[in-house]
Amino acid sequence: MPAPSAHDDTPSPDDHNAPSPDVHPGRPRRLSRRARRVLRDLHQRTWELEFLMSGALAVALGQLPGRIDDGYNRVFPLLGEGLGLLATMGYQYLKLIVYTLILTFVVHIGLRAFWVSLIGLDSVFPRGIRWNRTRYGPISVAYLRRHLPSVRELIVRTDGIASVLFAAAFQLVAVFLLSIVLVTAVTAPLLLLEHFGVRVPLVGPILATTAITIAGLLTLPRALDRFLGHRIAPDGRVARWIRLSHAVNLRVFGHAVYGPAQQTLASQIGGRRAGGLIVVVVFGVVAVFTVRDVLIQRERLRLSPLTFVPAIPGAAGVDPRYYESQWLDGPPSLPVPSIPADALDDESAWLRLFVPFRATADPEAMAVICPALEPLSRTGLRMVRPERGLPSDTLRPRVEQSLDCAQRLWDVRLDENPLPRDAVFATHPITGLPGLSWYIEVRALPTGRHLLTVRRSDAAYRADLLDADGDDPPTRHHHEIPFWR
């Protein structure tokens, strides 16, 4: 038996044939008989397509958040301040898009499963509720018969919600994509100026001001037309401005793509209901992003352990972030110093300690600690020619000076004894991040527990304070890495 559908709102022939006054009279309004038959068949079987899409895409998209995190964590430490800001905004928008789609598909599968169960119930019991067989009294029965929807009414409502949910989610995705395009268009010139040495302060306020200005230029004409349109001359300047704003919105900001579905939702279910549905979806997506990617992934939120077990044990515990052999789910989201393993075998003669660079903080601190230090390369994207081989004789002393200055950023100790400044520039084999590697001889160490301490040096921390906002002082990084031999 075909299921009741929420798409039975078939317009009358007059609705199709009578052109509205604001439509160009030369535009065709009629559809061919074959096209109408195809649309009717699609409307009757749209739930099958939705079910297949939801199941397949929910599984496929579930793999993306981790891959996006890995790519961002690998690329972000290599970027400067400008490109880092652009990468962070792109990363956040991309995660919001993925979470929107995942949340939509999961909820849609649940709604469609509920809808199918209602159809099965209606096919077995087509008469619905038999009120004379319930255990309610007459007052309860009278009230429930007025307010409790029937199974068929619930089928229609659920079908409508499931179908509208798809459209609302893709409207939100269109808004996110549009935001990415606008942010890139505004940020790219600023990054280009920075690449040529022109430092542009207050990038965040510039982006916010640009976004508010564009939104105002697009929404103000619509507000004027809605509330004062009957007083505006059709051929006047204000009317031309209104038409120009719609033309820009259609051709530049993609309203021709997402506008039909958006206006259909707003006109059929009401602007407030459509807006409320989108607000609910946005709130759910932002909540998921905040909890997973800001609080948990950035280690701002974690389950509290037992009462007498510290959440951050330091030297009294083993933190898997510091040991590459324990990165079973990939490297940590925040780069930290690391060693290969927490326990060394008897044949190990050397222990490698890798300390990653921080793309923004470390160069600024090095410029303060070593004011005579000359840059070795430009930041940001650049062409590299590996065939050039080793640095030239004139460049080699500058490389040695940079290496010595970079080691002064950290106070590295083994069992409270400072390590000599014999580190080398290195690239981590797993994360691909640049940094410093100390190779520590461990053959002479006694068997048992040892402690590596990596702490931001006093000079580097003073430099960090100079570049930080007074209301938000930087964290003095301190890492304690126990290991056993």
Side-chain angles (χ1 to χ4, degrees):
M1 166 177 108
S5 174
H7 308 294
D8 294 336
D9 185 18
T10 306
S12 64
D14 294 338
D15 295 334
H16 284 287
N17 297 333
S20 56
D22 57 341
V23 176
H24 193 278
R27 183 175 299 175
R29 299 290 297 177
R30 286 181 176 273
L31 293 175
S32 65
R33 183 176 302 176
R34 180 176 179 277
R36 291 197 297 269
R37 184 171 62 253
V38 170
L39 285 175
R40 184 172 60 251
D41 293 341
L42 287 176
H43 285 169
Q44 292 176 354
R45 302 189 61 182
T46 180
W47 68 272
E48 298 177 2
L49 299 176
E50 293 174 6
F51 233 147
L52 291 175
M53 289 178 58
S54 295
L57 292 177
V59 174
L61 291 174
Q63 313 299 320
L64 283 183
R67 299 297 180 91
I68 296 174
D69 291 337
D70 293 341
Y72 174 74
N73 294 332
R74 181 182 291 269
V75 172
F76 178 75
L78 305 176
L79 304 176
E81 184 176 1
L83 286 177
L85 175 63
L86 185 61
T88 300
M89 289 187 294
Y91 163 78
Q92 292 173 347
Y93 276 118
L94 190 58
K95 291 297 287 289
L96 289 175
I97 290 174
V98 172
Y99 285 148
T100 299
L101 296 177
I102 292 176
L103 181 64
T104 301
F105 294 142
V106 170
V107 174
H108 181 265
I109 291 176
L111 286 173
R112 281 301 178 192
F114 178 61
W115 180 74
V116 170
S117 68
L118 292 175
I119 292 176
L121 186 64
D122 181 69
S123 63
V124 176
F125 303 107
R127 294 186 177 183
I129 303 174
R130 294 186 176 182
W131 293 103
N132 59 341
R133 294 188 179 183
T134 62
R135 297 184 178 181
Y136 292 113
I139 298 177
S140 299
V141 169
Y143 181 83
L144 291 176
R145 293 188 72 167
R146 268 198 322 269
H147 297 88
L148 189 66
S150 65
V151 172
R152 293 191 174 185
E153 290 175 342
L154 203 55
I155 289 174
V156 173
R157 292 182 186 179
T158 307
D159 180 45
I161 293 174
S163 299
V164 169
L165 184 64
F166 254 21
F170 280 103
Q171 300 313 302
L172 194 58
V173 169
V175 172
F176 289 147
L177 291 175
L178 177 61
S179 301
I180 293 177
V181 174
L182 291 179
V183 169
T184 304
V186 175
T187 308
L190 303 179
L191 297 180
L192 187 63
L193 292 175
E194 184 177 348
H195 179 75
F196 288 103
V198 180
R199 185 172 179 83
V200 181
L202 303 176
V203 175
I206 291 176
L207 292 177
T209 303
T210 304
I212 293 174
T213 302
I214 293 176
L217 291 176
L218 292 178
T219 57
L220 182 58
R222 186 175 65 178
L224 288 175
D225 186 27
R226 179 177 181 182
F227 296 105
L228 301 175
H230 59 284
R231 300 181 181 179
I232 298 175
D235 298 328
R237 294 183 178 180
V238 177
R240 289 196 296 270
W241 178 38
I242 294 173
R243 286 190 289 268
L244 177 62
S245 68
H246 284 295
V248 172
N249 198 17
L250 286 170
R251 299 174 184 176
V252 178
F253 296 109
H255 193 250
V257 176
Y258 66 87
Q262 181 190 45
Q263 298 303 323
T264 300
L265 289 175
S267 60
Q268 292 291 340
I269 66 176
R272 293 184 179 180
R273 290 185 179 181
L277 179 61
I278 293 178
V279 167
V280 170
V281 175
V282 171
F283 179 79
V285 170
V286 173
V288 171
F289 178 80
T290 302
V291 173
R292 182 189 183 276
D293 295 84
V294 178
L295 298 180
I296 295 179
Q297 193 174 40
R298 301 297 173 180
E299 300 179 2
R300 299 292 189 269
L301 179 68
R302 62 173 63 182
L303 292 175
S304 178
L306 300 175
T307 305
F308 299 104
V309 177
I312 303 178
V318 175
D319 192 333
R321 297 177 303 163
Y322 298 133
Y323 309 102
E324 297 157 9
S325 62
Q326 300 185 21
W327 292 353
L328 302 180
D329 296 327
S333 57
L334 297 176
V336 294
S338 62
I339 60 176
D342 57 341
L344 308 180
D345 54 40
D346 296 335
E347 300 180 356
S348 298
W350 299 90
L351 173 64
R352 173 180 54 81
L353 169 66
F354 179 81
V355 180
F357 279 127
R358 297 188 299 163
T360 301
D362 286 353
E364 293 177 350
M366 290 174 66
V368 174
I369 298 174
C370 310
L373 190 66
E374 298 182 14
L376 298 177
S377 62
R378 287 185 177 182
T379 59
L381 297 175
R382 63 183 187 275
M383 298 297 296
V384 179
R385 298 177 62 182
E387 66 274 9
R388 289 187 175 181
L390 298 175
S392 62
D393 294 337
T394 58
L395 188 61
R396 193 182 303 275
R398 293 166 55 188
V399 173
E400 296 294 336
Q401 293 172 4
S402 179
L403 177 61
D404 179 73
C405 186
Q407 295 180 76
R408 293 167 64 182
L409 298 174
W410 300 99
D411 180 13
V412 183
R413 297 173 180 264
L414 173 60
D415 296 331
E416 299 298 330
N417 299 313
L419 293 182
R421 292 182 182 173
D422 57 356
V424 295
F425 289 123
T427 300
H428 197 279
I430 299 177
T431 64
L433 299 178
L436 296 174
S437 283
W438 278 264
Y439 289 87
I440 306 167
E441 189 174 7
V442 295
R443 281 176 294 193
L445 293 179
T447 303
R449 179 182 182 276
H450 300 276
L451 181 65
L452 275 171
T453 305
V454 182
R455 184 172 181 265
R456 195 73 167 170
S457 67
D458 295 337
Y461 186 65
R462 286 194 296 268
D464 293 341
L465 289 175
L466 292 176
D467 295 322
D469 188 357
D471 297 333
D472 187 18
T475 302
R476 184 163 190 173
H477 295 274
H478 187 100
H479 307 276
E480 295 178 327
I481 310 174
F483 68 93
W484 285 258
R485 182 181 184 277

